[in-house]
Amino acid sequence: MKMNKYINLFLGFSVIAGLLGNSVSKKKNDLSKSVSMQDPLAPFIGTWSNQEIDEKQRLLKITKEGDFVINDQPILGSITSISSQQLVFTDHFGYELIAKRQANNTLSFYDDADEKNYLFVLTE
């Protein structure tokens, strides 16, 4: 009789543990889905200024619509590839502007037309 009581208690605890485990697992899955559904453009949006000492000051603005503006001049083209770390913008001539997120709000920027790399820091 005592053995039956222990088996019932064990089964009861097992069911409760299983339900709690499923609840926690579902919350983690919901959180990971919300993070992955963020706008992939978000890390790139903002106004960036170049950090090249020997170069003239350049401002790069990337809008939430995916537009590129360099020194207040809109660049005609569109985003052709985007991931959490890299954005590729192809201008109307077919040249690529490749932006890669770096640490500490910095952006490495390769201009295919000039065949040159630039380093930008987020200013706004």
Side-chain angles (χ1 to χ4, degrees):
M1 184 80 159
K2 257 187 166 181
M3 189 61 135
N4 240 358
K5 185 177 181 180
Y6 288 122
I7 291 175
N8 286 339
L9 282 174
F10 178 73
L11 289 175
F13 283 127
S14 295
V15 170
I16 291 171
L19 291 174
L20 288 175
N22 286 341
S23 174
V24 170
S25 175
K26 183 173 174 20
K27 286 181 183 178
K28 283 184 181 178
N29 286 340
D30 290 346
L31 179 61
S32 66
K33 285 179 187 176
S34 69
V35 169
S36 67
M37 295 178 80
Q38 288 180 346
D39 182 10
L41 186 59
F44 300 96
I45 295 171
T47 301
W48 305 80
S49 62
N50 75 319
Q51 296 299 299
E52 309 296 324
I53 295 172
D54 59 340
E55 296 287 328
K56 66 179 181 175
Q57 180 71 22
R58 285 190 178 85
L59 288 176
L60 166 67
K61 183 175 184 179
I62 303 174
T63 67
K64 63 182 177 184
E65 291 80 20
D67 298 326
F68 272 52
V69 179
I70 299 177
N71 292 339
D72 296 323
Q73 297 295 318
I75 306 299
L76 298 177
S78 62
I79 295 173
T80 53
S81 173
I82 189 165
S83 71
S84 63
Q85 294 298 312
Q86 180 175 297
L87 178 145
V88 178
F89 182 91
T90 304
D91 70 11
H92 65 287
F93 294 113
Y95 290 107
E96 291 182 333
L97 304 171
I98 303 170
K100 292 183 182 179
R101 277 307 299 255
Q102 306 292 319
N104 301 326
N105 289 328
T106 59
L107 185 76
S108 71
F109 187 78
Y110 177 73
D111 185 345
D112 191 29
D114 292 340
E115 297 181 345
K116 189 166 182 181
N117 282 303
Y118 299 93
L119 185 63
F120 285 84
V121 173
L122 186 63
T123 57
E124 290 180 22

